[in-house]
Amino acid sequence: MVDLSGADLSGVDRPPSLVDRAKAIILTPKDEWPKIGRENTSQGDILTSYVLPLAAIGPVASLIGGQVFGYGAFGVSFRPSLVGSIISALIQYIVVIAGIFVLAFIADFLAPKFNGQSNRLNAFKLVVYASTAAWLSQVFGLIPAIGFFSILGLYTLYLFYVGVGPMMKVPEDKAAGYTAVTFLCAIVGGFILSLIVAPITLLFAGLSGGAITQSDGDVSGKVTIPGGGSVDLDKIQQATKQMEDAANGKSPPIAPDRMKALLPETIGAYQRSATESVSAGAMGSTAQGTYTAGDKSFVLKIADMSALGALSGLGAAMGVEQSKEDANGYEKTYSVNGQMQSESWNKTTNSGKFGTTVNNRFMIEAEGSAGSIDDLKQAVSSIDHDDLADLVG
């Protein structure tokens, strides 16, 4: 087959309609995956024609179901506010789409580890079309009382397993291991995303105002929450773009030895006694040092989180904050100047952790036993943020 431009398109399939593709991937996945592999379709086309419509099923179903039927358990029922439900659905929608890029990045990275082939477009296709079952099953969210049936979306695991051979060239004897490791990463990522979404869902009891504009397809502005900060739509868009750029190889991780060079010899009374560095390829890299002073010892770590660093950007954009305190100590998460920070301290063991993100890409964290949380904060501040930024340049 030759198109009007003269390009030879023989052997290249064109994608069917959304309905036909969804039906085929669910009913005959072994026949459909090879067809998907032959299609000449870009990430952008797949995103707009397939991901955006299907990923909306869950948020929209939950929105409608919550308003029509409400939620209830143990004899208590309630209906969330309409505005709060709409905003929560939008947040869920954005996070689901961002998650597709992250999981595709992970699937592409892991393929060579299981004797497969790295192929960013095919990894994106694999994650998207395998997710069809999960997205369609979320229609049960229309009636919260039967929402349990969304567990049928676990069929996605099978679809992914069947597709890893045709799409990523992973040998059959390694397909199960590849699927298991990829979805283990997905579970971890989902847990992180849930920590971001849950507090936001609770905060959106109402909408006090905001300025939302759209230009050339880009959404910008802020949505404010009564007494609870705001959601920065520009930062959300930047975070998702960061994930996509990392997945496309536009921002490779920093070599760990370069970060290790930033670890100081001493921090106050603490002396550096050991160093360690690890590179995980496109997934990121870390460098850390162990510091001791008498019976006190902590680890100072610098991590280049690559695409996953954008998750912290989503958290900061959504104004995520969490705090817990009791007689033994405290822990809290918050944002400072658009960067996520977390700290915890146990009074009984005189140990804790303090960490901050830098440019929504790096994480600097000190964890262990110390005189106080101030010692750990001092350790983190010993890493110059400008020096980290220079590594990227």
Side-chain angles (χ1 to χ4, degrees):
M1 179 176 61
V2 179
D3 70 359
L4 296 179
S5 66
D8 186 4
L9 299 179
S10 58
V12 177
D13 292 345
R14 296 192 180 278
S17 67
L18 183 152
V19 173
D20 289 340
R21 167 52 46 79
K23 183 187 300 182
I25 196 66
I26 293 294
L27 299 178
T28 57
K30 291 184 178 180
D31 295 332
E32 195 66 13
W33 280 121
K35 297 178 183 177
I36 292 171
R38 294 193 299 267
E39 291 172 359
N40 184 27
T41 314
S42 68
Q43 279 191 9
D45 289 338
I46 297 171
L47 180 67
T48 56
S49 65
Y50 200 85
V51 175
L52 296 184
L54 291 185
I57 291 176
V60 171
S62 296
L63 169 64
I64 296 174
Q67 291 300 306
V68 175
F69 298 98
Y71 298 91
F74 307 108
V76 179
S77 62
F78 73 98
R79 283 184 173 82
S81 69
L82 177 59
V83 175
S85 295
I86 292 173
I87 298 299
S88 296
L90 287 173
I91 292 172
Q92 181 184 349
Y93 188 41
I94 292 170
V95 172
V96 167
I97 294 171
I100 288 294
F101 285 100
V102 173
L103 187 54
F105 172 70
I106 292 171
D108 182 55
F109 167 75
L110 289 176
K113 314 299 180 184
F114 290 83
N115 295 341
Q117 297 178 6
S118 173
N119 186 312
R120 294 191 182 96
L121 178 57
N122 279 0
F124 186 76
K125 290 180 179 179
L126 176 63
V127 171
V128 166
Y129 293 122
S131 298
T132 302
W135 286 330
L136 293 178
S137 69
Q138 290 177 350
V139 72
F140 290 108
L142 278 169
I143 306 177
I146 63 171
F148 173 80
F149 287 102
S150 61
I151 196 173
L152 295 175
L154 290 176
Y155 185 58
T156 285
L157 281 169
Y158 174 73
L159 296 181
F160 189 95
Y161 169 76
V162 173
V164 298
M167 304 305 296
M168 307 307 295
K169 309 305 179 186
V170 174
E172 186 176 354
D173 62 334
K174 294 184 180 296
Y178 173 71
T179 299
V181 172
T182 302
F183 273 84
L184 178 61
C185 293
I187 291 171
V188 174
F191 175 72
I192 296 173
L193 292 174
S194 70
L195 293 179
I196 294 174
V197 174
I200 295 302
T201 303
L202 294 175
L203 285 172
F204 279 116
L207 181 68
S208 66
I212 304 176
T213 60
Q214 185 169 351
S215 175
D216 298 327
D218 293 336
V219 178
S220 62
K222 289 187 177 182
V223 177
T224 58
I225 312 161
S230 62
V231 174
D232 192 322
L233 301 180
D234 297 291
K235 290 181 179 178
I236 290 177
Q237 185 163 285
Q238 291 170 11
T240 55
K241 181 64 165 58
Q242 179 182 340
M243 293 179 184
E244 184 176 1
D245 286 347
N248 290 329
K250 296 180 180 179
S251 182
I254 303 300
D257 285 345
R258 297 181 66 195
M259 294 190 296
K260 187 167 66 174
L262 301 181
L263 296 171
E265 291 286 343
T266 62
I267 302 174
Y270 296 85
Q271 300 287 325
R272 194 179 71 191
S273 57
T275 60
E276 182 180 348
S277 60
V278 176
S279 174
M283 287 292 290
S285 55
T286 62
Q288 66 183 47
T290 301
Y291 294 81
T292 58
D295 61 346
K296 306 296 183 183
S297 177
F298 62 79
V299 172
L300 175 62
K301 179 169 64 177
I302 308 171
D304 182 353
M305 300 181 290
S306 191
L308 295 179
L311 294 178
S312 67
L314 287 174
M318 296 176 184
V320 172
E321 292 189 5
Q322 188 174 16
S323 178
K324 183 173 65 175
E325 185 173 0
D326 58 29
N328 293 321
Y330 71 91
E331 60 182 59
K332 58 183 177 179
T333 301
Y334 51 95
S335 63
V336 176
N337 297 326
Q339 301 298 309
M340 295 299 297
Q341 292 189 2
S342 64
E343 61 180 278
S344 61
W345 185 255
N346 187 305
K347 298 177 182 177
T348 303
T349 60
N350 285 326
S351 62
K353 178 172 61 177
F354 178 77
T356 183
T357 57
V358 178
N359 297 334
N360 291 325
R361 170 168 178 165
F362 298 99
M363 168 67 81
I364 309 174
E365 183 180 81
E367 181 176 11
S369 59
S372 70
I373 189 68
D374 292 334
D375 288 354
L376 302 181
K377 290 182 177 181
Q378 180 184 2
V380 169
S381 65
S382 69
I383 306 299
D384 190 284
H385 292 188
D386 290 336
D387 289 343
L388 271 179
D390 291 341
L391 294 181
V392 178

